[in-house]
Amino acid sequence: MYKNHANTIAISKILDKLNIRPVRVGKSKALYKSPICNENEPSFWLYQNNEWYDYGLCAGGKLIDFVQRFLKFSGESDTLIDALRWIENMANDAFAYPQISKDAYEPNKDEPILSIRKVEDIRFTALIRYLD
């Protein structure tokens, strides 16, 4: 999974899978008890643009930033690779993959799959040596 792709997954879906529910929901943000620090009062805000900010830690960001902090808080390895792997495992149904029609993969039966456009002598010396 790529970083840009991972950040398109809704943080709210991941929090929901972790059984973390909002304490309060507004028009453009939701308030949670922080899943990345020990606290008594809710301070973790999730905004409509899929970014978060934890006022208890004075830190925020996108999904990958959250996951790295969550993994570190949980005592797990928190590298970017670990975070992307964790997101991929958690988000197996949180991201809606575009539906591609079967016709997009099937070649046209009337046209050849490959065609030779032009024939020339080989000029790349390493390839000539390899073929000899």
Side-chain angles (χ1 to χ4, degrees):
M1 176 173 289
Y2 293 102
K3 199 173 174 181
N4 293 340
H5 173 88
N7 282 326
T8 63
I9 297 168
I11 298 172
S12 60
K13 298 284 185 187
I14 299 297
L15 291 172
D16 192 49
K17 284 191 166 205
L18 294 170
N19 290 323
I20 300 169
R21 305 287 185 256
V23 175
R24 183 175 39 185
V25 177
K27 285 185 178 182
S28 63
K29 59 186 177 179
L31 178 63
Y32 294 81
K33 283 190 99 178
S34 181
I36 54 178
C37 74
N38 293 321
E39 66 178 6
N40 295 326
E41 296 295 321
S43 66
F44 184 88
W45 285 96
L46 179 58
Y47 297 96
Q48 193 172 21
N49 65 353
N50 204 36
E51 291 187 4
W52 62 274
Y53 192 83
D54 191 323
Y55 286 89
L57 295 174
C58 295
K62 296 188 179 279
L63 177 61
I64 292 175
D65 305 311
F66 166 73
V67 170
Q68 285 182 298
R69 286 191 178 261
F70 180 78
L71 291 173
K72 186 174 187 175
F73 180 71
S74 303
E76 302 291 329
S77 179
D78 62 335
T79 66
L80 176 62
I81 300 297
D82 293 321
L84 291 172
R85 187 178 306 121
W86 189 90
I87 292 167
E88 188 171 18
N89 290 336
M90 286 295 286
N92 56 8
D93 65 343
F95 183 79
Y97 290 94
Q99 296 296 321
I100 299 174
S101 69
K102 187 178 176 184
D103 298 334
Y105 292 111
E106 292 187 17
N108 187 349
K109 305 280 187 215
D110 300 332
E111 297 177 18
I113 295 173
L114 295 175
S115 62
I116 299 172
R117 294 183 181 173
K118 118 171 92 162
V119 177
E120 293 182 8
D121 291 335
I122 299 173
R123 291 178 277 176
F124 189 58
T125 54
L127 181 57
I128 293 169
R129 284 188 212 132
Y130 174 78
L131 293 172
D132 283 340

